[in-house]
Structures are given as C-alpha cells and as structure tokens.
C-alpha cells in the first residue's frame, strides 16, 4: 500500500481524493499496488466539501508522518509550497505537484534537492494533457525545433468569443468572470503570466534553459479591440495568446503574447477553454496535443498519472529531462532581437500627409508594409491597420515611439506580432 497526503483539498485536490476512491480498481491494477489517499490538508476545516478523506490543518504533522509515502502539493502559491516541498523532499518523501508558479521560480533548486527522490509535475502544464511526458520521454530522441502552445483556457475562451461573435474585450471579460473562467483579478491569466510559467517549464525540458519570468517577453490580451478582430477576419487570421519556444541557431526564443495566426494552421483550431500544443522535433516532425488545460478532474487525471508512475517505477525520468548538461550551450535570445512580422493599429487624423509621414518613419526603421486598410473612427480620425514584412523587434519599438513623438498618431499604437 502506498500512502498519499494531499496538501490542498480544493478544486484539484478534492478530485484527486475522489478519483483515487472512485477508480480504485483500475488504478490499483495499473499501479500494481493500492494507492490510498490518507489525509488532506486545508486552511479552513469548517468549509463544507465533497470529500470523504480525513482532513487536518496541521501541515507539519503530515510532513513528519513517516507512514506517508507521497506528498501531493495542490495548495497553490509560491513560497509556502516551496517550503513544504523542500521539507517533504528532505524527509525522503516523493512529491507530486500541479503548481506551475512554484516551478517557474524554483524548478532547478527542487531538481537538485530531489536528487533520486521522485518529483513529478505533469499537471503543471496544460492540466490534463500529458505534455511533460510527451516532451520529456516520447520525444527524447529529437532536437526540439519549436513549441507553440495555447495554454491558457481563459484567454482562449475570450479570444474565441471575440473572433467568432464580435464581442468586445470588456463584455467577454465580465462574462468569463461570471462563468468562473476568469478570476476577479484576471491579470495573471489575461496578462500572459500563467502561460509564461508553463512555457518556462517546457523550455527547460526541451532545451535545458534556466529562465525566470522576468527574462522573457510576456504580453497579454488586454489591448485587443474590435478593429483588430476586423483585420484578422479580413485577412484569414485568428488571434491567439501563444506561448512560443523556438530554436534559432544557438539561441532560444521564449515568448508569450497574442498573435495573428492563419486560420488554416492546426493550432488555430484550438478554441474555447481548450488547450493545444504543437511540438516540432527534428526527427519526428510536428506532433500536436489537444485537451482540457484545467478543471478538477482533468487536472487530477494528470496528478494521479504521476502517482501511479512513482508507484511503478520509483524515480523514472530526470525531473527536467536531462541526466547531464545539454552541451549545445543554448542561450535565450534577447527580447529586442526577435524577428517576426507585425500588425499595427494606428489612430490617425484623417488628413493629407499623414500616410506619407507614417511610411517615412517605418521606412527609416527598415520596416516595409505588407497589407494596409483604413477604417473611419469618428468625424476627424481613422484607424490605420497595417501588417509589415519580417523586421526586428527593436526597430518596431523605435518606429512606434517615433510615431508617438511625431504626433501623427492620436493615441498609443497597438502592436500585435504575426506568427507565420
Ligand atoms: N484548478 C485547475 O484547473 C488547475 C489546473 C492546473 C493546475 N492547477 C494548480 O493546482 C494547484 C491547486 O489549484 P486549485 O484550483 O485546486 O486551488 P484551490 O481550489 O484554491 O485549492 C487550494 C487548496 O489549498 C488549501 N490551502 C491553501 N493555502 C493553504 C495553507 N496555507 N495551508 C493549508 N491549506 C491551504 C485550500 O484550503 P481551503 O479549502 O481551506 O481554502 C484549498 O483546499 C495550483 O497550484 C494551481 O495552479 C490548477
């Protein structure tokens, strides 16, 4: 018998406890040993919850209990779970977590501390999709050329509604909050930070890159508005919050931001709250993963897969995918050296000479226009919506600040990258 303590019996923790009970027969058969959720730790013991597992609010007592084999950390946060997980590992207990924020900051310290003690975290990236397993084990023969993911269901739900139904950002945010898809403070999701945490974990497994959130480009979907949707629809694009990891020579691009992407790409068809990830390996080619990125049962399914794996194999694959240093010596590409195509939304005064000025500023920064449309905004102003050919990130920022300084635009331009 393998005894499991669940630290945090909320949405995911309760599902883990219940699935271990409901699917006990198949789980025992697959693991070859009975897995028993022995105790759950919560903050508030008086809260009513739909579980039969015994509960406590004494974390230390659980960590000190030598009969507990596996600590399943499902409380959320960063520093408190870091402390708990360290204590568990120091006591020699295996750990399973779904906590991407913890791993975004502490995955390398924890890997070192864990050593030969099993530490698994499948649910931390894309909830129920077994992407860690796929990337770390299934694709291990490959140099990973790129990872492109839709890994935040809240943003994807909002953008799908905006594109398909023409709903504006504020309306869809409110609706998402009412449906429970977005938090009261939605910044973590709509600002791209949640997706960035997941990207950093995948970046480590694919490339051995130790990056922190502050090292990479992170932008959210807050500035997307109706004219951008019109432009997307007019030119067969959809808009997605994409997490991108790409190998360019000996550099790795790691970035999270909204993109215009052709509606014909497979990943563009990942709609609503679903997640999707495309991974290109140099030998296997493109592989695609699709499924629920959140939800109690879907996430618990991945957590339990890790528990069963520990029951079967003890320490299996190295935590972050490498048994020794990656000799490729890859580095993170500086944010302003990224090269891609861009979309710009400029609000301009609708008068003679403005277009010429804009073309001059773009030209001086080595930016050439690919497509352009103008739409009336009010009696005196118009929206100029344009896409560029491939250019360098620092040039687009320079051009945007020159456009603002020269007063040819009446408000700050909106820039969205185009993923080809
Ligand atoms: N929800 C998802 O769909 C999903 C998907 C993928 C990954 N995850 C990750 O899974 C983890 C858990 O998420 P969740 O949605 O299940 O969270 P949740 O519903 O908020 O549950 C958190 C649980 O932790 C307990 N807790 C928090 N702080 C505690 C403390 N200091 N001492 C004792 N107990 C404490 C809470 O106790 P009370 O119940 O008493 O408040 C609650 O039971 C997070 O790291 C999250 O990022 C979640």
């Amino acid at each position: 018998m393998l005894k499991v303590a669940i630290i945090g019996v909320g949405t995911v923790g309760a599902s883990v406890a219940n699935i271990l009970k409901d699917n006990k027969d198949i789980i025992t058969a697959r693991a070859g040993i009975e897995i028993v959720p022995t105790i759950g730790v919560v903050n508030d013991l008086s809260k009513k919850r739909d579980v039969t597992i015994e509960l406590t609010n004494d974390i230390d007592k659980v960590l000190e209990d030598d009969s507990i084999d596996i600590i399943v950390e499902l409380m959320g946060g960063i520093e408190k779970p870091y402390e708990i997980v360290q204590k568990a590992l120091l006591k020699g207990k295996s750990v399973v977590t779904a906590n991407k924020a913890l791993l975004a900051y502490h995955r390398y310290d924890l890997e070192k501390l864990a050593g030969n003690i099993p530490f698994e975290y499948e649910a931390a990236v894309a909830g129920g999709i077994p992407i860690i397993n796929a990337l770390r084990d299934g694709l291990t023969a490959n140099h990973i050329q790129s990872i492109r993911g839709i890994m935040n269901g809240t943003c994807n739900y909002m953008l799908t509604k905006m594109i398909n139904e023409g709903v504006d950002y504020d309306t869809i945010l409110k609706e998402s909050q009412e449906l429970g898809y977005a938090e009261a403070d939605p910044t973590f999701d709509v600002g791209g930070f949640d997706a960035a945490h997941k990207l950093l974990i995948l970046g480590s497994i694919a490339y051995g890159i130790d990056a922190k959130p502050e090292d990479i480009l992170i932008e959210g979907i807050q500035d997307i508005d109706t004219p951008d949707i019109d432009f997307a629809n007019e030119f067969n694009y959809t808009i997605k919050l994409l997490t991108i990891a790409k190998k360019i020579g000996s550099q790795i691009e790691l970035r999270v931001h909204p993109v215009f992407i052709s509606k014909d790409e497979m990943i563009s068809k990942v709609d609503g709250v679903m997640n999707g990830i495309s991974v290109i390996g140099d030998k296997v080619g493109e592989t695609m993963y699709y499924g629920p990125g959140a939800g109690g049962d879907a996430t618990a399914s991945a957590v339990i897969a890790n528990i069963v794996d520990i029951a079967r194999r003890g320490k299996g694959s190295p935590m972050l995918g490498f048994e020794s240093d990656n000799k490729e010596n890859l580095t993170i590409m500086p944010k302003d050296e990224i090269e891609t195509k861009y979309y710009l939304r400029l609000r301009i005064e609708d008068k003679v000479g403005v277009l010429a000025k804009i073309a001059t500023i773009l030209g001086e920064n080595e930016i050439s226009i690919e497509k352009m449309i103008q739409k009336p905004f009010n009696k005196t102003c118009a929206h100029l919506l344009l896409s560029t050919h491939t250019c360098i990130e620092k040039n687009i920022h320079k051009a945007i600040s020159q456009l603002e300084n020269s007063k040819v635009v009446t408000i700050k331009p909106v820039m969205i990258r185009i993923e080809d």
Side-chain angles (χ1 to χ4, degrees):
M1 179 196 295
L2 205 63
K3 286 189 168 184
V4 172
I6 304 173
I7 315 283
V9 188
T11 307
V12 183
S15 282
V16 169
N18 289 333
I19 295 173
L20 282 172
K21 191 171 65 132
D22 297 346
N23 286 5
K24 184 176 159 190
D25 291 353
I26 186 88
I27 292 169
T28 307
R30 289 198 168 127
I33 186 171
E34 191 183 344
I35 295 167
V36 182
T38 307
I39 186 125
V41 181
V42 295
N43 232 343
D44 179 0
L45 281 169
S46 67
K47 215 187 256 182
K48 206 172 155 358
R49 34 190 119 223
D50 190 18
V51 288
T52 50
I53 185 176
E54 184 190 335
L55 297 175
T56 174
N57 53 13
D58 189 345
I59 296 180
D60 286 330
K61 199 169 153 209
V62 171
L63 293 172
E64 289 302 322
D65 183 344
D66 289 334
S67 74
I68 302 288
D69 303 292
I70 303 182
I71 295 291
V72 179
E73 185 280 305
L74 296 169
M75 64 191 288
I78 299 179
E79 294 314 321
K80 183 72 182 168
Y82 183 39
E83 198 186 297
I84 290 169
V85 167
Q86 286 180 94
K87 280 189 189 165
L89 291 170
L90 286 169
K91 286 283 290 176
K93 296 184 190 303
S94 301
V95 172
V96 176
T97 183
N99 189 334
K100 58 238 154 194
L102 167 70
L103 294 168
Y105 287 94
H106 295 301
R107 61 197 181 285
Y108 283 95
D109 325 341
L110 288 172
E111 182 189 44
K112 211 165 155 190
L113 184 63
N116 279 323
I117 302 166
F119 186 115
E120 296 295 342
Y121 54 93
E122 180 62 73
V125 181
I129 305 176
I131 184 64
I132 303 292
N133 197 297
L135 196 57
R136 193 174 61 176
D137 296 332
L139 301 179
T140 200
N142 291 264
H143 286 107
I144 302 300
Q145 294 172 330
S146 70
I147 302 171
R148 297 193 305 177
I150 293 171
M151 300 198 287
N152 184 277
T154 307
C155 289
N156 206 41
Y157 174 80
M158 291 173 64
L159 290 170
T160 303
K161 282 275 193 177
M162 288 170 79
I163 288 275
N164 293 353
E165 296 172 26
V167 189
D168 68 64
Y169 179 85
D170 291 331
T171 307
I172 193 59
L173 176 59
K174 195 160 169 280
E175 186 194 304
S176 304
Q177 285 168 324
E178 282 163 7
L179 286 168
Y181 292 155
E183 304 282 336
D185 175 1
T187 321
F188 192 62
D189 287 316
V190 298
F193 303 105
D194 168 79
H197 287 166
K198 298 166 184 167
L199 174 68
L200 291 171
I201 298 168
L202 296 187
S204 284
I205 301 170
Y207 304 110
I209 285 273
D210 181 6
K212 296 270 188 299
E214 46 278 17
D215 301 328
I216 68 166
L217 180 68
I218 305 173
E219 288 172 13
I221 64 167
Q222 306 94 321
D223 291 335
I224 294 170
D225 207 347
T226 315
D228 315 323
I229 305 295
D230 294 344
F231 185 90
N233 283 326
E234 195 146 341
F235 292 107
N236 195 40
Y237 287 125
T238 187
I239 305 179
K240 295 290 182 192
L241 181 80
L242 212 61
T243 53
I244 300 171
K246 270 188 199 165
K247 184 168 183 286
I248 315 270
S250 62
Q251 291 191 308
I252 302 298
E253 285 183 10
L254 287 176
R255 45 193 170 104
V256 177
H257 49 72
V259 295
F260 280 93
I261 182 166
S262 165
K263 284 185 178 169
D264 299 330
E265 290 239 19
M266 227 193 306
I267 198 143
S268 301
K269 302 184 195 318
V270 175
D271 277 341
V273 293
M274 299 306 273
N275 281 198
I277 305 157
S278 146
V279 182
I280 299 181
D282 62 344
K283 299 302 173 193
V284 70
E286 182 170 16
T287 56
M288 180 89 196
Y289 310 85
Y290 173 87
D297 283 0
T299 308
S301 156
V303 169
I304 294 171
N306 283 158
I307 299 173
V308 170
D309 207 33
I310 292 171
R312 283 171 175 164
R313 304 196 293 160
K315 182 173 159 55
S317 309
M319 182 185 152
L320 295 172
F322 287 87
E323 293 281 9
S324 55
D325 286 349
N326 180 10
K327 297 276 188 278
E328 291 177 294
N329 289 325
L330 304 169
T331 54
I332 302 171
M333 182 178 286
K335 295 175 201 176
D336 61 1
E337 285 176 23
I338 288 162
E339 287 186 41
T340 187
K341 292 180 172 183
Y342 296 85
Y343 155 91
L344 293 176
R345 175 185 2 124
L346 310 176
R347 191 178 302 166
I348 55 170
E349 277 188 73
D350 198 1
K351 63 182 188 189
V352 177
V354 168
L355 268 181
K357 253 190 191 171
I358 291 169
T360 304
I361 290 175
L362 294 178
E364 282 169 359
N365 287 289
E366 295 172 50
I367 298 165
S368 61
I369 295 171
E370 186 182 53
K371 299 183 186 105
M372 185 165 72
I373 48 176
Q374 185 169 328
K375 301 232 167 185
F377 175 68
N378 60 23
K379 276 189 185 149
T380 55
C381 287
H383 273 137
L384 192 66
L385 314 173
L386 61 90
S387 61
T388 74
H389 289 285
T390 300
C391 60
I392 303 176
E393 180 93 5
K394 66 177 165 237
N395 288 359
I396 203 94
H397 286 295
K398 212 163 119 210
I400 287 172
S401 74
Q402 286 173 5
L403 287 167
E404 282 187 275
N405 292 339
S406 69
K407 307 263 187 295
V408 290
V409 293
T410 60
I411 59 166
K412 190 175 164 33
V414 170
M415 177 267 277
I416 301 173
R417 294 167 192 82
I418 298 173
E419 178 67 13
D420 259 351

